[in-house]
Amino acid sequence: MALKLMQIAPHEAENPTELSLRQAFELLEPKLRPPFSLTIPKPQEYSVLNKAILYGVLYECHVGKTHIKHLHAIVTDGYGLFVSFLTKVVNELYVKLLEPQKCQLVWVTKELIDVLAVGVDGLLVCLLRQIVGGDFSDGNLWLCFEMVNILLTKWDCLLEVESMILTSGLYAYLRLLADHCRQLSNPKLEALKQLEIDFCIKVLKEQFPLCLKIGRDLVRLLQDLVHLPKFRAIWKDLVLNRGEFKTLGFSGIAQLYITRTPSQYMLLRITPEMEAQLRFLLTHVKFGSHKRHQAWFAKKFLCEPNRETLIVDIVRFICCAHHPPNEIIQSDVIPRWAVIGWLLKSCTKNYVEANAKLALLYDWLFFEERVDNIMNIEPAMLLMVYSIPRYIDITHTLLEFLFLLMDNYDVEHYDILVKGVSSSFSVCVKKGVIRSLDVLTSCDALSPILKERLGSFLFGTKFEISGKLKQAHLPGHFERVKNSTCMETPTPSPESMR
Protein backbone atom coordinates (compact mmCIF):
# COMPACT_ATOMS: atom_id res chain seq x y z
CA MET A 1 0.00 0.00 0.00
CA ALA A 2 1.28 3.46 -0.88
CA LEU A 3 2.18 5.75 1.98
CA LYS A 4 0.18 8.87 2.70
CA LEU A 5 0.92 12.33 1.41
CA MET A 6 0.62 14.06 4.75
CA GLN A 7 1.33 13.70 8.42
CA ILE A 8 -1.73 13.21 10.61
CA ALA A 9 -2.06 12.47 14.31
CA PRO A 10 -3.28 9.00 15.37
CA HIS A 11 -6.60 10.41 16.56
CA GLU A 12 -7.33 12.26 13.30
CA ALA A 13 -9.65 10.81 10.68
CA GLU A 14 -8.38 10.35 7.15
CA ASN A 15 -9.04 13.25 4.83
CA PRO A 16 -11.61 12.23 2.17
CA THR A 17 -9.71 14.00 -0.61
CA GLU A 18 -6.42 12.30 0.19
CA LEU A 19 -8.19 8.95 0.61
CA SER A 20 -9.92 9.29 -2.76
CA LEU A 21 -6.64 10.03 -4.55
CA ARG A 22 -4.82 7.18 -2.82
CA GLN A 23 -7.54 4.65 -3.60
CA ALA A 24 -7.47 5.66 -7.26
CA PHE A 25 -3.68 5.22 -7.29
CA GLU A 26 -3.86 1.80 -5.67
CA LEU A 27 -6.59 0.71 -8.10
CA LEU A 28 -4.72 1.78 -11.24
CA GLU A 29 -1.09 1.47 -10.14
CA PRO A 30 -0.19 -1.24 -12.72
CA LYS A 31 -1.53 1.01 -15.51
CA LEU A 32 0.65 3.92 -14.36
CA ARG A 33 3.86 2.24 -15.56
CA PRO A 34 5.13 2.46 -19.16
CA PRO A 35 4.13 1.44 -21.71
CA PHE A 36 0.86 3.31 -21.26
CA SER A 37 -2.43 2.22 -22.78
CA LEU A 38 -3.49 4.16 -25.86
CA THR A 39 -7.18 3.43 -25.25
CA ILE A 40 -9.28 6.55 -24.74
CA PRO A 41 -10.83 6.24 -21.26
CA LYS A 42 -14.53 6.72 -20.61
CA PRO A 43 -15.56 9.78 -18.50
CA GLN A 44 -15.63 7.91 -15.19
CA GLU A 45 -12.37 6.13 -15.99
CA TYR A 46 -10.85 9.46 -17.00
CA SER A 47 -11.69 10.99 -13.62
CA VAL A 48 -10.17 8.08 -11.68
CA LEU A 49 -7.09 8.07 -13.92
CA ASN A 50 -6.53 11.81 -13.28
CA LYS A 51 -6.72 11.20 -9.53
CA ALA A 52 -4.30 8.29 -9.78
CA ILE A 53 -1.78 10.28 -11.82
CA LEU A 54 -2.01 13.21 -9.40
CA TYR A 55 -1.31 10.94 -6.45
CA GLY A 56 1.60 9.42 -8.34
CA VAL A 57 3.06 12.83 -9.15
CA LEU A 58 2.90 13.92 -5.52
CA TYR A 59 3.99 10.69 -3.85
CA GLU A 60 6.43 9.11 -6.31
CA CYS A 61 8.73 12.12 -6.63
CA HIS A 62 11.43 10.10 -8.42
CA VAL A 63 9.11 9.30 -11.35
CA GLY A 64 7.10 12.51 -11.35
CA LYS A 65 8.17 13.35 -14.91
CA THR A 66 6.94 9.94 -16.11
CA HIS A 67 3.52 10.57 -14.56
CA ILE A 68 3.33 14.00 -16.21
CA LYS A 69 4.14 12.48 -19.61
CA HIS A 70 1.30 10.03 -19.00
CA LEU A 71 -1.02 12.94 -18.21
CA HIS A 72 -0.01 14.72 -21.41
CA ALA A 73 -0.84 11.59 -23.37
CA ILE A 74 -4.36 11.06 -21.99
CA VAL A 75 -5.61 14.61 -21.39
CA THR A 76 -8.82 15.53 -23.26
CA ASP A 77 -10.09 18.59 -21.35
CA GLY A 78 -7.19 21.02 -21.33
CA TYR A 79 -6.05 19.62 -17.94
CA GLY A 80 -9.14 21.15 -16.30
CA LEU A 81 -10.06 18.08 -14.23
CA PHE A 82 -6.48 17.49 -13.09
CA VAL A 83 -6.12 21.15 -12.06
CA SER A 84 -9.40 21.00 -10.13
CA PHE A 85 -8.15 17.98 -8.15
CA LEU A 86 -4.82 19.69 -7.50
CA THR A 87 -6.57 22.87 -6.36
CA LYS A 88 -8.57 20.81 -3.88
CA VAL A 89 -5.34 19.35 -2.55
CA VAL A 90 -3.94 22.86 -2.03
CA ASN A 91 -7.05 24.12 -0.25
CA GLU A 92 -7.61 21.10 1.97
CA LEU A 93 -4.25 19.40 2.46
CA TYR A 94 -1.42 21.88 1.95
CA VAL A 95 -0.84 22.71 5.63
CA LYS A 96 -0.33 19.02 6.50
CA LEU A 97 1.53 17.90 3.38
CA LEU A 98 5.02 16.50 3.92
CA GLU A 99 7.88 18.66 2.62
CA PRO A 100 8.70 16.49 -0.45
CA GLN A 101 5.04 16.59 -1.47
CA LYS A 102 4.95 20.39 -1.17
CA CYS A 103 7.96 20.58 -3.46
CA GLN A 104 6.26 18.27 -5.95
CA LEU A 105 3.09 20.35 -5.79
CA VAL A 106 4.99 23.52 -6.75
CA TRP A 107 6.87 21.64 -9.49
CA VAL A 108 3.72 20.25 -11.11
CA THR A 109 2.15 23.73 -10.95
CA LYS A 110 5.02 25.04 -13.08
CA GLU A 111 4.48 22.20 -15.54
CA LEU A 112 0.80 23.10 -15.82
CA ILE A 113 1.61 26.75 -16.49
CA ASP A 114 3.89 25.70 -19.36
CA VAL A 115 0.99 23.90 -21.08
CA LEU A 116 -1.46 26.77 -20.36
CA ALA A 117 -3.69 24.42 -18.38
CA VAL A 118 -7.33 25.39 -17.87
CA GLY A 119 -7.82 26.82 -14.38
CA VAL A 120 -4.14 27.19 -13.51
CA ASP A 121 -4.73 30.84 -12.57
CA GLY A 122 -7.14 29.72 -9.83
CA LEU A 123 -4.56 27.19 -8.64
CA LEU A 124 -1.96 29.95 -8.32
CA VAL A 125 -4.37 32.10 -6.32
CA CYS A 126 -4.96 29.18 -3.93
CA LEU A 127 -1.21 28.77 -3.47
CA LEU A 128 -0.80 32.50 -2.80
CA ARG A 129 -3.43 32.19 -0.09
CA GLN A 130 -1.35 29.53 1.68
CA ILE A 131 1.34 32.13 2.40
CA VAL A 132 0.66 33.23 5.97
CA GLY A 133 1.18 36.89 6.85
CA GLY A 134 3.57 37.55 9.73
CA ASP A 135 4.96 33.99 9.53
CA PHE A 136 8.75 33.91 9.19
CA SER A 137 9.17 30.15 9.44
CA ASP A 138 11.38 28.45 6.85
CA GLY A 139 8.43 26.67 5.23
CA ASN A 140 6.40 29.83 4.79
CA LEU A 141 9.35 31.83 3.44
CA TRP A 142 10.08 28.97 1.03
CA LEU A 143 6.57 29.20 -0.39
CA CYS A 144 6.89 33.00 -0.62
CA PHE A 145 10.07 32.55 -2.63
CA GLU A 146 8.69 29.83 -4.90
CA MET A 147 5.53 31.76 -5.74
CA VAL A 148 7.22 35.07 -6.53
CA ASN A 149 9.79 33.14 -8.59
CA ILE A 150 6.96 31.51 -10.55
CA LEU A 151 5.32 34.89 -11.17
CA LEU A 152 8.59 36.31 -12.52
CA THR A 153 9.90 33.36 -14.53
CA LYS A 154 6.52 32.41 -16.01
CA TRP A 155 5.51 36.02 -16.72
CA ASP A 156 4.78 35.61 -20.44
CA CYS A 157 2.81 32.40 -19.95
CA LEU A 158 0.72 33.96 -17.19
CA LEU A 159 -0.14 36.95 -19.37
CA GLU A 160 -1.42 34.48 -21.94
CA VAL A 161 -3.33 32.30 -19.44
CA GLU A 162 -4.96 35.00 -17.29
CA SER A 163 -3.30 38.35 -16.80
CA MET A 164 -5.29 39.09 -13.63
CA ILE A 165 -3.15 36.57 -11.75
CA LEU A 166 -0.42 39.21 -11.88
CA THR A 167 -2.57 41.73 -10.01
CA SER A 168 -3.45 39.06 -7.46
CA GLY A 169 0.26 38.49 -7.00
CA LEU A 170 0.84 42.24 -6.75
CA TYR A 171 -1.79 42.63 -4.03
CA ALA A 172 -0.40 39.68 -2.07
CA TYR A 173 3.25 40.71 -2.29
CA LEU A 174 2.70 44.40 -1.56
CA ARG A 175 1.08 43.30 1.67
CA LEU A 176 3.74 40.65 2.45
CA LEU A 177 6.57 43.02 1.64
CA ALA A 178 5.34 45.49 4.25
CA ASP A 179 5.65 42.73 6.88
CA HIS A 180 9.01 41.57 5.58
CA CYS A 181 10.47 45.08 5.66
CA ARG A 182 9.75 45.35 9.37
CA GLN A 183 12.19 42.49 10.01
CA LEU A 184 15.39 44.50 9.90
CA SER A 185 17.75 41.81 11.23
CA ASN A 186 16.71 38.71 9.31
CA PRO A 187 19.34 37.83 6.66
CA LYS A 188 17.12 35.05 5.29
CA LEU A 189 14.72 37.71 4.01
CA GLU A 190 17.10 39.86 1.96
CA ALA A 191 17.05 37.84 -1.28
CA LEU A 192 13.31 37.28 -0.95
CA LYS A 193 12.58 40.97 -0.39
CA GLN A 194 14.55 41.87 -3.51
CA LEU A 195 12.55 39.40 -5.60
CA GLU A 196 9.29 40.74 -4.15
CA ILE A 197 10.32 44.31 -4.95
CA ASP A 198 11.37 43.35 -8.50
CA PHE A 199 8.04 41.61 -9.14
CA CYS A 200 5.86 44.40 -7.74
CA ILE A 201 7.72 47.13 -9.63
CA LYS A 202 7.56 45.10 -12.85
CA VAL A 203 3.78 44.74 -12.58
CA LEU A 204 3.29 48.42 -11.73
CA LYS A 205 5.48 49.63 -14.59
CA GLU A 206 4.60 47.13 -17.32
CA GLN A 207 0.96 46.30 -16.55
CA PHE A 208 -0.40 49.45 -14.91
CA PRO A 209 -3.76 49.29 -16.76
CA LEU A 210 -4.34 45.95 -15.01
CA CYS A 211 -3.29 47.45 -11.68
CA LEU A 212 -6.09 50.02 -11.94
CA LYS A 213 -8.57 47.18 -11.53
CA ILE A 214 -7.36 46.66 -7.95
CA GLY A 215 -8.87 50.03 -7.08
CA ARG A 216 -8.38 52.09 -3.96
CA ASP A 217 -6.71 49.39 -1.89
CA LEU A 218 -3.71 49.65 -4.20
CA VAL A 219 -3.09 53.09 -2.68
CA ARG A 220 -3.57 51.74 0.85
CA LEU A 221 -0.92 49.06 0.26
CA LEU A 222 1.55 51.30 -1.55
CA GLN A 223 1.59 53.86 1.26
CA ASP A 224 3.31 51.35 3.56
CA LEU A 225 6.20 50.95 1.11
CA VAL A 226 7.14 54.49 0.05
CA HIS A 227 10.18 54.35 2.34
CA LEU A 228 11.71 51.99 -0.27
CA PRO A 229 13.38 54.01 -3.08
CA LYS A 230 11.76 52.15 -5.98
CA PHE A 231 8.30 52.51 -4.47
CA ARG A 232 8.92 56.16 -3.63
CA ALA A 233 9.58 56.75 -7.34
CA ILE A 234 6.33 54.96 -8.26
CA TRP A 235 4.50 57.02 -5.65
CA LYS A 236 5.81 60.33 -6.97
CA ASP A 237 4.78 59.38 -10.51
CA LEU A 238 1.34 58.37 -9.25
CA VAL A 239 0.87 61.75 -7.56
CA LEU A 240 2.79 64.12 -9.83
CA ASN A 241 3.65 62.45 -13.15
CA ARG A 242 0.77 60.20 -14.13
CA GLY A 243 1.92 60.32 -17.75
CA GLU A 244 4.84 58.07 -16.77
CA PHE A 245 2.42 55.15 -16.60
CA LYS A 246 1.54 55.56 -20.29
CA THR A 247 -2.03 54.50 -19.63
CA LEU A 248 -4.69 56.02 -21.82
CA GLY A 249 -7.53 57.45 -19.76
CA PHE A 250 -5.70 57.41 -16.42
CA SER A 251 -6.66 60.68 -14.77
CA GLY A 252 -4.63 60.39 -11.60
CA ILE A 253 -4.83 58.98 -8.11
CA ALA A 254 -8.43 60.15 -7.69
CA GLN A 255 -9.39 57.53 -10.27
CA LEU A 256 -8.13 54.83 -7.93
CA TYR A 257 -9.92 56.41 -4.97
CA ILE A 258 -13.32 56.13 -6.61
CA THR A 259 -12.76 52.54 -7.76
CA ARG A 260 -13.97 50.02 -5.19
CA THR A 261 -11.58 47.11 -4.73
CA PRO A 262 -13.21 43.78 -5.74
CA SER A 263 -13.78 41.54 -2.73
CA GLN A 264 -11.74 38.65 -4.13
CA TYR A 265 -8.56 40.62 -3.42
CA MET A 266 -9.42 40.67 0.30
CA LEU A 267 -9.32 36.86 0.32
CA LEU A 268 -5.71 36.79 -0.83
CA ARG A 269 -4.27 37.48 2.60
CA ILE A 270 -6.65 35.14 4.44
CA THR A 271 -5.83 31.43 4.32
CA PRO A 272 -8.71 29.08 3.43
CA GLU A 273 -8.63 27.66 6.97
CA MET A 274 -8.81 31.13 8.49
CA GLU A 275 -11.64 32.10 6.14
CA ALA A 276 -13.63 28.98 7.13
CA GLN A 277 -13.24 29.72 10.84
CA LEU A 278 -14.20 33.39 10.44
CA ARG A 279 -17.27 32.56 8.38
CA PHE A 280 -18.30 29.95 10.96
CA LEU A 281 -17.90 32.48 13.77
CA LEU A 282 -19.96 35.08 11.88
CA THR A 283 -22.65 32.64 10.74
CA HIS A 284 -23.23 30.19 13.58
CA VAL A 285 -21.83 31.47 16.89
CA LYS A 286 -24.36 33.20 19.14
CA PHE A 287 -23.64 36.55 20.74
CA GLY A 288 -22.80 35.73 24.34
CA SER A 289 -21.20 32.39 23.48
CA HIS A 290 -18.53 33.91 21.31
CA LYS A 291 -15.63 34.46 23.72
CA ARG A 292 -14.30 30.91 23.69
CA HIS A 293 -14.46 30.85 19.88
CA GLN A 294 -12.57 34.12 19.71
CA ALA A 295 -9.99 32.84 22.19
CA TRP A 296 -9.53 29.67 20.12
CA PHE A 297 -9.16 31.72 16.91
CA ALA A 298 -6.60 34.04 18.50
CA LYS A 299 -4.59 31.12 19.88
CA LYS A 300 -4.51 29.36 16.52
CA PHE A 301 -3.90 32.29 14.18
CA LEU A 302 -2.74 35.40 16.06
CA CYS A 303 -0.58 34.40 19.02
CA GLU A 304 2.69 33.67 17.21
CA PRO A 305 5.25 36.51 17.14
CA ASN A 306 4.59 39.02 14.31
CA ARG A 307 1.18 37.48 13.48
CA GLU A 308 -0.65 40.54 14.84
CA THR A 309 -0.41 42.24 11.43
CA LEU A 310 -2.99 39.70 10.23
CA ILE A 311 -5.59 41.72 12.13
CA VAL A 312 -5.45 44.37 9.39
CA ASP A 313 -6.23 41.78 6.70
CA ILE A 314 -8.98 40.18 8.79
CA VAL A 315 -10.71 43.53 9.36
CA ARG A 316 -10.60 44.27 5.64
CA PHE A 317 -11.94 40.79 4.87
CA ILE A 318 -14.85 41.15 7.31
CA CYS A 319 -15.81 44.57 5.94
CA CYS A 320 -15.51 43.82 2.23
CA ALA A 321 -15.75 40.07 1.68
CA HIS A 322 -18.18 38.76 4.31
CA HIS A 323 -21.63 40.24 3.84
CA PRO A 324 -24.17 38.21 5.84
CA PRO A 325 -27.80 37.90 4.64
CA ASN A 326 -30.62 39.63 6.50
CA GLU A 327 -31.61 36.49 8.40
CA ILE A 328 -28.14 36.39 9.99
CA ILE A 329 -28.08 40.14 10.63
CA GLN A 330 -31.45 39.94 12.40
CA SER A 331 -30.51 36.84 14.42
CA ASP A 332 -28.53 36.56 17.66
CA VAL A 333 -25.36 35.51 15.81
CA ILE A 334 -22.38 37.66 16.78
CA PRO A 335 -22.32 40.64 14.39
CA ARG A 336 -19.38 41.80 12.34
CA TRP A 337 -18.94 45.03 14.28
CA ALA A 338 -18.47 43.10 17.55
CA VAL A 339 -15.76 40.87 16.09
CA ILE A 340 -13.97 43.92 14.69
CA GLY A 341 -14.21 45.64 18.07
CA TRP A 342 -12.56 42.59 19.65
CA LEU A 343 -9.81 42.63 17.00
CA LEU A 344 -9.09 46.33 17.60
CA LYS A 345 -8.86 45.71 21.33
CA SER A 346 -6.43 42.87 20.60
CA CYS A 347 -3.86 45.17 18.96
CA THR A 348 -0.74 45.67 21.07
CA LYS A 349 1.34 47.60 18.52
CA ASN A 350 0.46 51.19 17.58
CA TYR A 351 1.14 50.75 13.86
CA VAL A 352 -1.08 47.64 13.71
CA GLU A 353 -3.91 49.45 15.46
CA ALA A 354 -3.58 52.44 13.11
CA ASN A 355 -3.60 50.21 10.02
CA ALA A 356 -6.54 48.19 11.37
CA LYS A 357 -8.57 51.37 11.87
CA LEU A 358 -7.59 52.50 8.39
CA ALA A 359 -8.78 49.13 7.02
CA LEU A 360 -12.09 49.60 8.84
CA LEU A 361 -12.69 53.20 7.74
CA TYR A 362 -11.02 53.22 4.33
CA ASP A 363 -14.19 52.95 2.25
CA TRP A 364 -15.73 55.81 4.25
CA LEU A 365 -13.24 58.21 2.71
CA PHE A 366 -14.38 57.55 -0.86
CA PHE A 367 -17.91 56.22 -0.44
CA GLU A 368 -20.24 56.78 -3.35
CA GLU A 369 -23.69 55.25 -3.02
CA ARG A 370 -23.93 54.51 -6.72
CA VAL A 371 -20.85 52.27 -6.85
CA ASP A 372 -20.00 51.30 -3.26
CA ASN A 373 -21.64 48.73 -1.00
CA ILE A 374 -23.13 49.93 2.26
CA MET A 375 -22.07 46.64 3.87
CA ASN A 376 -18.45 47.82 3.63
CA ILE A 377 -19.10 50.81 5.90
CA GLU A 378 -21.79 49.32 8.15
CA PRO A 379 -19.44 47.67 10.70
CA ALA A 380 -17.69 50.93 11.60
CA MET A 381 -20.99 52.77 11.99
CA LEU A 382 -22.47 50.11 14.25
CA LEU A 383 -19.26 49.75 16.24
CA MET A 384 -19.29 53.48 16.99
CA VAL A 385 -22.96 53.44 18.00
CA TYR A 386 -23.10 50.20 19.99
CA SER A 387 -19.92 51.02 21.93
CA ILE A 388 -21.87 53.79 23.70
CA PRO A 389 -21.67 54.07 26.66
CA ARG A 390 -19.76 51.03 27.94
CA TYR A 391 -16.91 51.24 25.44
CA ILE A 392 -17.04 54.95 24.68
CA ASP A 393 -13.28 54.93 24.15
CA ILE A 394 -13.83 52.98 20.91
CA THR A 395 -16.46 55.45 19.70
CA HIS A 396 -14.18 58.34 20.54
CA THR A 397 -11.11 56.75 18.91
CA LEU A 398 -12.90 55.86 15.67
CA LEU A 399 -14.55 59.26 15.23
CA GLU A 400 -11.32 61.04 15.99
CA PHE A 401 -9.39 58.81 13.59
CA LEU A 402 -12.01 59.36 10.88
CA PHE A 403 -11.63 63.13 11.07
CA LEU A 404 -7.84 62.85 11.17
CA LEU A 405 -7.97 60.81 7.97
CA MET A 406 -10.31 63.29 6.34
CA ASP A 407 -8.06 66.22 7.23
CA ASN A 408 -4.67 64.64 6.56
CA TYR A 409 -4.90 61.66 4.21
CA ASP A 410 -4.73 63.70 1.01
CA VAL A 411 -5.03 67.46 1.32
CA GLU A 412 -5.07 67.86 -2.47
CA HIS A 413 -8.23 65.76 -2.67
CA TYR A 414 -9.85 66.94 0.52
CA ASP A 415 -13.14 67.50 -1.31
CA ILE A 416 -13.32 63.80 -2.26
CA LEU A 417 -12.72 62.76 1.33
CA VAL A 418 -15.32 65.15 2.74
CA LYS A 419 -17.87 63.98 0.21
CA GLY A 420 -17.11 60.32 0.99
CA VAL A 421 -17.42 60.67 4.76
CA SER A 422 -20.55 62.80 4.45
CA SER A 423 -22.13 60.24 2.12
CA SER A 424 -21.24 57.44 4.52
CA PHE A 425 -23.06 59.07 7.43
CA SER A 426 -26.10 60.00 5.37
CA VAL A 427 -26.45 56.61 3.65
CA CYS A 428 -26.20 54.78 6.98
CA VAL A 429 -29.26 56.72 8.15
CA LYS A 430 -31.04 56.53 4.81
CA LYS A 431 -30.65 52.74 4.57
CA GLY A 432 -31.60 52.13 8.20
CA VAL A 433 -28.22 51.02 9.54
CA ILE A 434 -28.98 53.44 12.38
CA ARG A 435 -32.17 55.38 13.00
CA SER A 436 -30.55 58.74 13.58
CA LEU A 437 -27.19 60.39 14.12
CA ASP A 438 -28.51 61.88 17.35
CA VAL A 439 -27.01 58.94 19.20
CA LEU A 440 -23.61 60.45 18.37
CA THR A 441 -24.32 64.17 18.28
CA SER A 442 -26.18 64.04 21.61
CA CYS A 443 -23.69 61.78 23.37
CA ASP A 444 -22.49 63.51 26.52
CA ALA A 445 -19.67 60.99 26.94
CA LEU A 446 -17.87 62.27 23.82
CA SER A 447 -15.22 64.93 24.38
CA PRO A 448 -16.57 68.46 23.78
CA ILE A 449 -14.04 69.12 21.01
CA LEU A 450 -14.92 65.96 19.10
CA LYS A 451 -18.63 66.48 19.65
CA GLU A 452 -18.37 70.02 18.29
CA ARG A 453 -16.39 68.82 15.27
CA LEU A 454 -18.95 66.13 14.52
CA GLY A 455 -21.85 68.53 14.80
CA SER A 456 -20.21 71.13 12.59
CA PHE A 457 -19.40 68.53 9.96
CA LEU A 458 -22.88 67.03 9.89
CA PHE A 459 -24.77 70.29 10.01
CA GLY A 460 -22.45 72.45 7.93
CA THR A 461 -21.35 75.02 10.50
CA LYS A 462 -17.83 76.41 10.41
CA PHE A 463 -15.41 74.73 12.78
CA GLU A 464 -11.86 75.73 13.67
CA ILE A 465 -9.91 72.48 13.98
CA SER A 466 -8.36 72.34 17.40
CA GLY A 467 -4.63 71.69 17.62
CA LYS A 468 -5.42 69.17 20.30
CA LEU A 469 -7.66 67.18 17.96
CA LYS A 470 -5.12 67.43 15.17
CA GLN A 471 -2.33 65.95 17.25
CA ALA A 472 -4.17 63.24 19.14
CA HIS A 473 -3.35 59.69 18.06
CA LEU A 474 -2.06 60.71 14.63
CA PRO A 475 -0.87 57.42 13.10
CA GLY A 476 2.80 57.18 12.28
CA HIS A 477 2.37 56.47 8.59
CA PHE A 478 0.79 59.89 8.01
CA GLU A 479 4.04 61.58 9.00
CA ARG A 480 4.93 64.22 6.41
CA VAL A 481 8.11 64.18 4.39
CA LYS A 482 7.24 67.09 2.09
CA ASN A 483 5.01 70.07 2.63
CA SER A 484 3.02 69.24 -0.46
CA THR A 485 0.03 66.98 -0.93
CA CYS A 486 -0.33 64.47 1.88
CA MET A 487 -0.53 61.75 -0.75
CA GLU A 488 3.24 62.12 -1.08
CA THR A 489 3.77 61.66 2.58
CA PRO A 490 2.16 58.70 4.39
CA THR A 491 5.45 56.93 5.05
CA PRO A 492 5.94 54.51 7.92
CA SER A 493 7.45 56.08 10.98
CA PRO A 494 10.56 54.62 12.62
CA GLU A 495 8.27 53.10 15.26
CA SER A 496 6.34 51.18 12.62
CA MET A 497 9.55 49.72 11.23
CA ARG A 498 10.60 48.05 14.48
Side-chain angles (χ1 to χ4, degrees), residues 247-300:
T247 299
L248 186 65
F250 177 52
S251 58
I253 201 167
Q255 183 176 333
L256 284 167
Y257 286 159
I258 62 174
T259 304
R260 179 165 60 95
T261 299
S263 60
Q264 60 261 33
Y265 286 102
M266 311 306 171
L267 293 170
L268 286 166
R269 298 311 319 126
I270 303 292
T271 66
E273 184 181 14
M274 196 181 301
E275 178 191 359
Q277 297 301 332
L278 285 168
R279 292 199 191 276
F280 177 83
L281 177 66
L282 292 162
T283 306
H284 300 290
V285 177
K286 307 297 183 185
F287 208 177
S289 305
H290 58 283
K291 289 188 177 180
R292 65 186 180 92
H293 292 275
Q294 290 177 343
W296 179 89
F297 184 90
K299 183 178 180 180
K300 184 168 181 64

Side-chain angles (χ1 to χ4, degrees), residues 286-496:
K286 307 297 183 185
F287 208 177
S289 305
H290 58 283
K291 289 188 177 180
R292 65 186 180 92
H293 292 275
Q294 290 177 343
W296 179 89
F297 184 90
K299 183 178 180 180
K300 184 168 181 64
F301 298 111
L302 302 177
C303 286
E304 294 293 323
N306 305 303
R307 291 283 186 91
E308 190 175 313
T309 56
L310 278 171
I311 289 175
V312 179
D313 304 305
I314 294 171
V315 169
R316 204 77 186 115
F317 163 78
I318 292 173
C319 288
C320 304
H322 181 79
H323 294 167
N326 284 334
E327 53 266 31
I328 296 294
I329 294 174
Q330 295 165 6
S331 72
D332 55 356
V333 167
I334 184 171
R336 296 187 300 159
W337 64 264
V339 174
I340 290 174
W342 162 66
L343 290 168
L344 291 178
K345 285 288 189 180
S346 300
C347 295
T348 62
K349 299 180 177 69
N350 289 338
Y351 73 86
V352 174
E353 183 181 1
N355 280 329
K357 288 187 288 189
L358 180 64
L360 174 62
L361 294 167
Y362 200 57
D363 290 306
W364 281 64
L365 300 178
F366 318 110
F367 189 82
E368 167 59 56
E369 185 179 1
R370 184 176 53 85
V371 296
D372 280 288
N373 191 328
I374 192 173
M375 294 296 282
N376 290 11
I377 62 171
E378 179 229 49
M381 184 77 265
L382 293 180
L383 181 56
M384 283 188 265
V385 169
Y386 288 129
S387 293
I388 299 172
R390 187 175 179 184
Y391 301 106
I392 190 63
D393 59 310
I394 292 182
T395 307
H396 192 283
T397 297
L398 291 180
L399 278 174
E400 186 177 69
F401 193 87
L402 181 60
F403 286 125
L404 286 169
L405 287 174
M406 193 175 72
D407 294 334
N408 294 280
Y409 192 76
D410 185 352
V411 295
E412 292 295 318
H413 294 94
Y414 179 71
D415 55 332
I416 292 178
L417 307 184
V418 169
K419 181 182 177 183
V421 175
S422 178
S423 295
S424 297
F425 276 118
S426 63
V427 170
C428 281
V429 175
K430 176 183 173 183
K431 298 292 186 181
V433 174
I434 58 173
R435 291 183 180 181
S436 167
L437 291 169
D438 289 347
V439 66
L440 295 174
T441 58
S442 301
C443 178
D444 293 333
L446 285 179
S447 73
I449 295 173
L450 186 57
K451 192 174 176 180
E452 183 183 356
R453 177 69 199 275
L454 177 62
S456 67
F457 176 75
L458 295 175
F459 305 121
T461 56
K462 189 173 181 180
F463 177 78
E464 186 68 28
I465 301 174
S466 162
K468 183 177 180 182
L469 180 58
K470 273 188 172 182
Q471 298 299 324
H473 305 294
L474 189 64
H477 60 229
F478 296 109
E479 181 181 295
R480 298 192 176 218
V481 295
K482 287 190 177 182
N483 56 4
S484 171
T485 169
C486 192
M487 285 316 304
E488 292 181 72
T489 64
T491 59
S493 67
E495 177 185 10
S496 72

Side-chain angles (χ1 to χ4, degrees), residues 76-301:
T76 59
D77 63 343
Y79 303 88
L81 188 59
F82 187 87
V83 170
S84 70
F85 291 146
L86 186 56
T87 300
K88 199 168 185 181
V89 168
V90 173
N91 285 334
E92 295 183 14
L93 308 182
Y94 182 84
V95 174
K96 294 185 178 180
L97 284 180
L98 299 171
E99 293 306 314
Q101 278 61 58
K102 288 181 179 179
C103 292
Q104 281 297 101
L105 194 154
V106 170
W107 171 78
V108 75
T109 297
K110 295 176 185 177
E111 296 291 310
L112 292 168
I113 293 171
D114 288 341
V115 296
L116 308 181
V118 173
V120 75
D121 54 316
L123 172 62
L124 288 169
V125 167
C126 292
L127 281 167
L128 284 172
R129 292 187 66 193
Q130 293 296 337
I131 302 172
V132 181
D135 182 349
F136 296 93
S137 66
D138 289 344
N140 199 59
L141 294 181
W142 171 81
L143 184 58
C144 275
F145 179 87
E146 289 295 330
M147 290 307 297
V148 74
N149 191 52
I150 286 175
L151 292 170
L152 282 168
T153 58
K154 304 293 185 181
W155 178 275
D156 292 335
C157 285
L158 294 176
L159 279 174
E160 189 172 348
V161 171
E162 174 50 78
S163 55
M164 292 306 292
I165 185 59
L166 297 177
T167 59
S168 296
L170 175 64
Y171 185 98
Y173 278 102
L174 287 175
R175 183 65 191 85
L176 290 165
L177 191 54
D179 284 349
H180 293 167
C181 285
R182 291 190 178 96
Q183 297 290 307
L184 299 180
S185 58
N186 190 339
K188 293 187 296 184
L189 281 174
E190 294 309 309
L192 174 59
K193 284 194 291 188
Q194 191 55 57
L195 275 180
E196 292 171 338
I197 291 170
D198 291 345
F199 168 70
C200 292
I201 295 299
K202 183 177 178 68
V203 181
L204 287 164
K205 285 188 172 182
E206 297 183 19
Q207 297 295 328
F208 190 72
L210 290 178
C211 299
L212 292 177
K213 296 180 180 180
I214 296 177
R216 64 181 66 125
D217 276 80
L218 178 61
V219 180
R220 183 178 65 86
L221 298 181
L222 282 173
Q223 72 183 24
D224 266 352
L225 296 171
V226 292
H227 61 288
L228 300 174
K230 289 185 178 181
F231 285 100
R232 182 177 289 270
I234 291 286
W235 190 269
K236 287 181 178 178
D237 288 340
L238 191 61
V239 175
L240 302 173
N241 307 306
R242 62 178 182 266
E244 289 294 315
F245 293 104
K246 298 179 176 61
T247 299
L248 186 65
F250 177 52
S251 58
I253 201 167
Q255 183 176 333
L256 284 167
Y257 286 159
I258 62 174
T259 304
R260 179 165 60 95
T261 299
S263 60
Q264 60 261 33
Y265 286 102
M266 311 306 171
L267 293 170
L268 286 166
R269 298 311 319 126
I270 303 292
T271 66
E273 184 181 14
M274 196 181 301
E275 178 191 359
Q277 297 301 332
L278 285 168
R279 292 199 191 276
F280 177 83
L281 177 66
L282 292 162
T283 306
H284 300 290
V285 177
K286 307 297 183 185
F287 208 177
S289 305
H290 58 283
K291 289 188 177 180
R292 65 186 180 92
H293 292 275
Q294 290 177 343
W296 179 89
F297 184 90
K299 183 178 180 180
K300 184 168 181 64
F301 298 111

